[in-house]
Amino acid sequence: MPGAGQQSQESFATRLRDLRERVGLTQQELAEKAGLTPHGISALERGTRTRPYPHTIRSIADALEVDEADRSALIAAAGRRAARPAPADPATPDRPAPTLDVPPTVLHGRASDIAALGRLILDEDARVVTLTGPGGVGKTRLAAAVADAVADRFADGVVAVSLVSVTDAGAVLPSLARALGLAGSDGPDVLETLVDHLRPLQLLLVVDNLEHLLSAAPPLSQLTSACPRLTLLATSRSPLRIRAELEYAVEPLGLPGDQASSRQDLEAAPSGAFLLERALAVAPQSTLDEDDLRACIELCHRLAGLPLAIELATAHLRVLTPRVLVDRLEEATATSAARDLPARQRTMRATLDWSLGLLSEDARWLFQVLGAFRGGATLDAVESVVGAAEGRAATGALALLNDLVEHSLVVVRPDADGTSRFTMLEPVAQYARSLLAGEEASRVLAAHAAYGLELARRGAIEFERDDQIAWLARIEAAEPNLLIAVERSLDSGDDDTASLITWYLWLFWWMRGQVSRGRRLAELCLAADPSPEVRCRVALTAATMSYAGGDVEAAHGYWSESGTIAGSLGDAEVMAKARAGVGLAALATGDLATAEPLFTESLELCEKAGPAGGDWLASLVHVWLGTLLLQTGKKVQATSSIERGLVLARSRGDRLATFVALYNLSQAAIGTEEYDLARAHLEEGITLSEEVRDLANLAYFTEALADVEAHASEHSRVATLLGAATALREAVGADVYTYYLPDAELRARTEAAAREALGDAGYEDAFRAGTELEVEELIDLALSEV
C-alpha cells in the first residue's frame, strides 16, 4: 500500500492531467504556456517528479486558467516542500538583496524615473530594460533604487551584479553564474547552466556597467529568451541593441531655473538640492550669503547636473568658497577636452581636469599611475609600480593616496582579508587612463606588468603551502590586474611576461573552476612567441586546463610538447610535470600499463629537480601511483604509496595534495572494510574541500561518504548525500578530478540498497532534498554524527 507522500504525488499527477485534458491542452502546449519543458510536465503527470516548486505550480495554474477552487486543490495536492533554514535577516526571506556599490547619500530628483521604470517592468512586462547615459549620471544608483522598489513583486527576488572589473566579454555569463551561487560555472555550458537554473524562477537580474562588454549582448539575449520569467535591468553607456531591449535614457539632475536666485530656488531643483546636501556634508558650519547661492546655482549649470561632477566639485568646499570654486572651474573649462565630444562629457572632463589641477605634481602623477590598474590596487601594489616606474624606492605614496581620497578622486574599500584597496569610480578611472600616454605610459604599464608577474609568482609558490587559502583570496582580488597585465604584455610583444603570469595562475584557475579562461589565455600565449624556457611552462597551463575541462586528447598533446621542449633544455622540473601529465592522460583512459612507468619516471625527475621544484609534484605523483596500484589490486603497495604522498603534503600544509591523498586512502579503506578509518579520511577531506571552495572535489568525497553510510544502513543519508553529489557535479559542469577512480559497481550497490530500503518514492524525496542543500548545509550533514 503506498505511503501518504506517494498518495499525495499520485493525487497531484492525476489532478494535473485531468485539468490539462479538461482545457484541451497537450503537454507540449501546456509547457509552452507555463514556461516549462514538456519533459517536466510529463514527469509531474507520471508522478516521477516529486515536490514541485510553488512557483512551478503557480505557472501551471496560470497557464491552465483555472478558477480559485481548482488552483487551491492543485496546490494542496502537491503537498509541502521541506522547509529551508531561516535566513539571517527575517525581513528579507529567501531573497538576495541588490549588491550594487552605491553612495549613502539621498537620492534626489529620481521619483519619476523610478515610477516610470516600475511601470515598464511590472505593468508593461518589459523583459530587458537598459539604463543609458553618460558616465557619472547616476545609472547605477537609479538601478539600485528601482530594484528596491519592485523587489517584492519578484517571487524569487533580485540579484545584482557589477561588471566594472570584468575585462573579457566571455566572462560575463560566468560572472552572473557565480553571483547566482552556481560555483564553478566557467565551462562552455555556462549558458545552459544559467538557463536551467533561471528558467523556473521569477527573478530580477540587475547587471551594472555593460558598456565595455557589449559583445556579451547576444548570449544575454539568449538567456532572457529562454527564461520567460526573468527580467534583465542593465546599465550601460550604450544600448545593447537586442530585440527585446527597451532603452531608458537617464538624464542629468534637473537644473535651477534661469531666474533662480534664492536658497528655495536652489533646493527646488534636484541638482541644487544635491549640491546643497554635499556642501553641508563637507562644510557643516558654513553659511551661504546671496553671492554664495548665486555661485552654487552657476555651479549646477556648469556641472550640467551630473551627480558625479557635483560630488567631486563640492568636495573642495572644505577649503574654497563657492565663488572661488566657480572661478577655478572656469579655468579648467577653458582648456577642456576635444570639442567633438558631447557637451556633458566635456563638462565632466573639465571638472576632473580642475580637480586634478588642485593637486600637487606628485599627486597628479600618482593619479595617472592608478589609471594602469583594474579593480583597484593595494598600497603594496601602488608602491611597487611607483617605485619601478621611477627607478627608485617609493616614498610618500600613502600620503599622496590620502590626498587623492580627500579630493574624492579615490575611494578606499576593504578587501575580504581587511586589506585596504584603493579604487576609483569608473568615469574617474577612465579619465586617469586617458592621461597615461607616451613614454610615461610605457614605463608605468611595464612596471604594472612586472608587479603582476611577481605577485603571480609568489602566489604560485604559496598555493603549494599552508597559507594557500589567504593567497587564493589575494589573487582573486588581484585577478583583474593580472588579466589586464597579460593582455597588455601580449599587445606590447612581451610574450614571456604574459606567458609566465599565465603559467603561475594555473593552480588558482584550477581550484576556482575557471578552466576555460586559463586555457584561452594559455593558447593565446602559445600562439605568440615566448622563449622556449617559458613556452614549455605555459604549455603545462594549456595542458592542465584542457585536462580539467575534459579534453584529455588536447591535454596529452600539450603535455607532450612541454616535455619535448623541457627535455632539450634539461629542465627537470618541467619534465617531471610533463611526464606526470602524460601519465594522468593515460590513467584517465584506463591505460594503466602506460601510466605506471611515466609516474615512476616523474618521481625520479622530481628528485633531480630538488625540493623547490619537485616536492609538491612528488606528493601528488605518489598518490596517483597509488590510485593506479589500487586498480590492479595491489592494495598494500597502493596504501604505502598514497601515505607517502600524504606525509609530503602535510609537511607543507598543502590542502590540495592532502585531500587528494585522503580520497584515495578512503577508497583503499572501504576496499578492506575499514569503514571508521574511511569515514575519518572523508570527513577531513570534506573540511579541506570547503576551505579551498573546491566543489568538484567535495562531490567525490560526498559520494564516497554515501558508500560508508550504506555499510551503516543509514539509507536516508545515503540518498541525500548522493543527491548533493549530483547537484555539485552539475554546478561545476565537469568531473574535474579524472584521476579519482571511484568504484562504479559499489556506487550502484549503494544506490540499489537505499532504494530497496526506502522505496522509490522515499528514495527520490531524500535524493531531491540533497540536490537542494546549500554547501554549508551539506557540510553540516556530512560532519554530523549519525
Side-chain angles (χ1 to χ4, degrees):
M1 179 176 178
Q6 188 174 348
Q7 287 177 338
S8 173
Q9 291 307 314
E10 289 174 354
S11 175
F12 177 81
T14 302
R15 190 173 297 275
L16 173 59
R17 184 172 59 253
D18 290 345
L19 288 172
R20 178 180 59 78
E21 292 175 350
R22 185 198 304 171
V23 298
L25 293 176
T26 65
Q27 290 183 346
Q28 176 77 33
E29 291 168 339
L30 176 58
E32 291 176 357
K33 290 188 67 175
L36 303 171
T37 63
H39 173 76
I41 297 295
S42 174
L44 289 170
E45 290 192 357
R46 288 182 284 110
T48 58
R49 179 180 173 187
T50 61
R51 300 291 190 270
Y53 287 93
H55 57 70
T56 300
I57 303 170
R58 290 195 301 269
S59 298
I60 291 172
D62 291 343
L64 291 170
E65 299 179 2
V66 295
D67 58 27
E68 284 302 316
D70 283 332
R71 176 188 289 267
S72 297
L74 187 65
I75 293 172
R80 294 175 58 87
R81 293 177 59 82
R84 299 181 65 82
D89 179 4
T92 56
D94 289 334
R95 179 176 289 129
T99 57
L100 300 182
D101 190 8
V102 296
T105 55
V106 177
L107 185 61
H108 293 277
R110 296 302 188 195
S112 61
D113 291 315
I114 295 170
L117 287 161
R119 287 193 296 272
L120 283 176
I121 293 170
L122 299 177
D123 300 333
E124 299 182 28
D125 198 28
R127 297 291 314 290
V128 179
V129 178
T130 305
L131 306 185
T132 61
V137 77
K139 299 183 293 293
T140 299
R141 183 66 186 278
L142 178 57
V146 172
D148 183 65
V150 304
D152 289 340
R153 298 284 294 275
F154 285 83
D156 298 291
V158 177
V159 173
V161 186
S162 175
L163 300 177
V164 67
S165 294
V166 176
T167 59
D168 178 5
V172 169
L173 292 188
S175 296
L176 300 185
R178 285 191 288 274
L180 288 161
L182 306 179
S185 297
D186 188 56
D189 298 326
V190 62
L191 177 59
E192 289 78 6
T193 299
L194 281 165
V195 169
D196 288 342
H197 178 75
L198 291 172
R199 182 184 284 127
L201 303 183
Q202 184 189 22
L203 183 100
L204 176 64
L205 181 60
V206 184
V207 182
D208 191 41
N209 290 110
L210 263 171
E211 58 267 6
H212 60 302
L213 302 164
L214 292 178
S215 57
L220 287 173
S221 178
Q222 291 176 273
L223 179 64
T224 54
S225 296
C227 303
R229 293 157 61 81
L230 174 68
T231 299
L232 176 66
L233 178 61
T235 74
S236 174
R237 296 185 188 184
S238 302
L240 304 184
R241 304 296 186 199
I242 59 180
R243 286 176 294 176
E245 180 187 44
L246 285 176
E247 181 183 356
Y248 190 94
V250 181
E251 299 293 338
L253 297 177
L255 300 174
D258 292 339
Q259 304 304 315
S261 59
S262 67
R263 187 185 186 100
Q264 289 75 17
D265 293 336
L266 188 63
E267 289 175 332
S271 61
F274 182 50
L275 188 146
L276 276 176
E277 177 204 332
R278 300 313 306 147
L280 291 174
V282 300
Q285 306 302 322
S286 64
T287 58
L288 299 176
D289 59 24
E290 288 185 7
D291 185 66
D292 290 333
L293 288 169
R294 285 193 294 271
C296 287
I297 291 169
E298 187 176 350
L299 280 171
C300 289
H301 284 271
R302 296 290 299 276
L303 298 172
L306 287 169
L308 176 60
I310 292 171
E311 180 137 13
L312 291 170
T314 53
H316 298 283
L317 290 175
R318 293 184 179 93
V319 294
L320 300 177
T321 67
R323 178 52 59 194
V324 173
L325 186 57
V326 170
D327 293 339
R328 297 298 301 268
L329 193 62
E330 287 176 348
E331 293 174 13
T333 305
T335 57
S336 63
R339 296 182 184 276
D340 60 347
L341 287 173
R344 293 192 184 101
Q345 289 187 7
R346 291 204 302 270
T347 305
M348 181 70 169
R349 186 175 182 96
T351 303
L352 291 165
D353 283 341
W354 164 81
S355 296
L356 205 62
L358 294 178
L359 300 173
S360 67
E361 183 178 348
D362 286 346
R364 289 198 299 272
W365 183 77
L366 182 62
F367 179 74
Q368 294 180 52
V369 171
L370 292 176
F373 290 90
R374 293 292 189 276
T378 63
L379 177 60
D380 286 346
V382 174
E383 289 178 333
S384 176
V385 173
V386 168
E390 288 190 317
R392 56 186 174 84
T395 57
L398 180 57
L400 294 174
L401 282 169
N402 283 333
D403 198 16
L404 293 174
V405 172
E406 281 289 317
H407 284 78
S408 298
L409 290 168
V410 170
V411 179
V412 184
R413 309 278 190 216
D415 276 346
D417 62 357
T419 303
S420 293
R421 179 165 292 271
F422 297 89
T423 66
M424 293 185 288
L425 298 174
E426 186 56 23
V428 180
Q430 290 187 356
Y431 172 74
R433 289 195 286 272
S434 74
L435 300 177
L436 198 59
E439 293 184 5
E440 184 78 8
S442 298
R443 188 165 65 253
V444 170
L445 296 182
H448 178 271
Y451 169 76
L453 176 61
E454 176 59 18
L455 180 66
R457 185 192 69 81
R458 290 176 59 195
I461 294 171
E462 298 300 333
F463 292 157
E464 300 176 4
R465 298 178 178 174
D466 59 357
D467 205 22
Q468 61 189 182
I469 300 298
W471 272 90
L472 283 168
R474 183 172 182 181
I475 295 299
E476 188 167 35
E479 189 179 17
N481 279 303
L482 297 172
L483 295 177
I484 198 67
V486 171
E487 179 183 318
R488 289 170 178 159
S489 296
L490 287 173
D491 288 344
S492 67
D494 188 359
D495 302 329
D496 277 9
T497 292
S499 298
L500 283 172
I501 294 174
T502 303
W503 153 239
Y504 290 137
L505 289 177
W506 80 266
L507 194 53
F508 167 78
W509 287 324
W510 178 289
M511 288 195 279
R512 285 294 185 260
Q514 299 179 26
V515 295
S516 63
R517 170 179 293 175
R519 178 173 179 175
R520 181 180 64 81
L521 290 176
E523 289 176 341
L524 282 175
C525 291
L526 289 172
D529 189 28
S531 64
E533 293 81 1
V534 175
R535 185 178 187 86
C536 63
R537 282 171 163 74
V538 77
L540 290 176
T541 299
T544 52
M545 297 296 97
S546 300
Y547 176 79
D551 191 348
V552 177
E553 182 178 356
H556 183 281
Y558 287 128
W559 270 318
S560 297
E561 177 187 357
S562 175
T564 299
I565 298 172
S568 68
L569 299 171
D571 190 325
E573 177 188 353
V574 175
M575 289 171 64
K577 290 178 166 67
R579 292 291 191 277
V582 176
L584 282 177
L587 184 64
T589 59
D591 187 357
L592 306 184
T594 298
E596 185 170 4
L598 286 166
F599 288 149
T600 301
E601 184 181 357
S602 177
L603 287 173
E604 294 170 354
L605 288 165
C606 286
E607 288 284 339
K608 186 176 179 180
D615 276 5
W616 179 79
L617 178 64
S619 62
L620 285 168
V621 176
H622 279 300
V623 176
W624 296 333
L625 186 57
T627 304
L628 184 151
L629 293 170
L630 278 177
Q631 299 301 304
T632 60
K634 301 175 181 177
K635 294 183 178 178
V636 174
Q637 298 97 313
T639 300
S640 176
S641 182
I642 297 168
E643 286 178 341
R644 186 173 180 183
L646 180 61
V647 169
L648 287 172
R650 288 196 193 281
S651 70
R652 295 188 318 277
D654 176 11
R655 293 163 180 80
L656 184 145
T658 296
F659 63 54
V660 173
L662 289 169
Y663 178 84
N664 286 281
L665 286 174
S666 76
Q667 297 300 289
I670 290 172
T672 55
E673 300 185 353
E674 297 174 272
Y675 293 105
D676 288 343
L677 179 60
R679 182 187 297 277
H681 291 323
L682 292 170
E683 288 180 349
E684 183 182 356
I686 286 169
T687 300
L688 295 176
S689 300
E690 180 190 24
E691 288 181 3
V692 300
R693 289 163 40 195
D694 192 326
L695 297 189
N697 194 68
L698 183 58
Y700 281 101
F701 275 79
T702 300
E703 192 172 79
L705 184 59
D707 294 330
V708 174
E709 299 289 14
H711 173 73
S713 299
E714 294 291 336
H715 299 298
S716 180
R717 284 169 64 92
V718 166
T720 302
L721 290 169
L722 291 178
T726 299
L728 287 170
R729 285 209 172 90
E730 290 175 353
V732 174
D735 285 339
V736 176
Y737 295 110
T738 50
Y739 46 74
Y740 284 166
L741 300 176
D743 188 335
E745 292 183 2
L746 176 59
R747 165 67 166 75
R749 291 197 302 272
T750 295
E751 179 182 344
R755 281 188 179 276
E756 182 177 357
L758 300 174
D760 284 343
Y763 179 87
E764 293 295 341
D765 281 350
F767 184 91
R768 181 172 295 279
T771 66
E772 296 173 356
L773 290 176
E774 302 292 343
V775 171
E776 294 79 9
E777 296 171 320
L778 170 58
I779 300 298
D780 289 343
L781 173 67
L783 301 183
S784 64
E785 294 185 8
V786 179

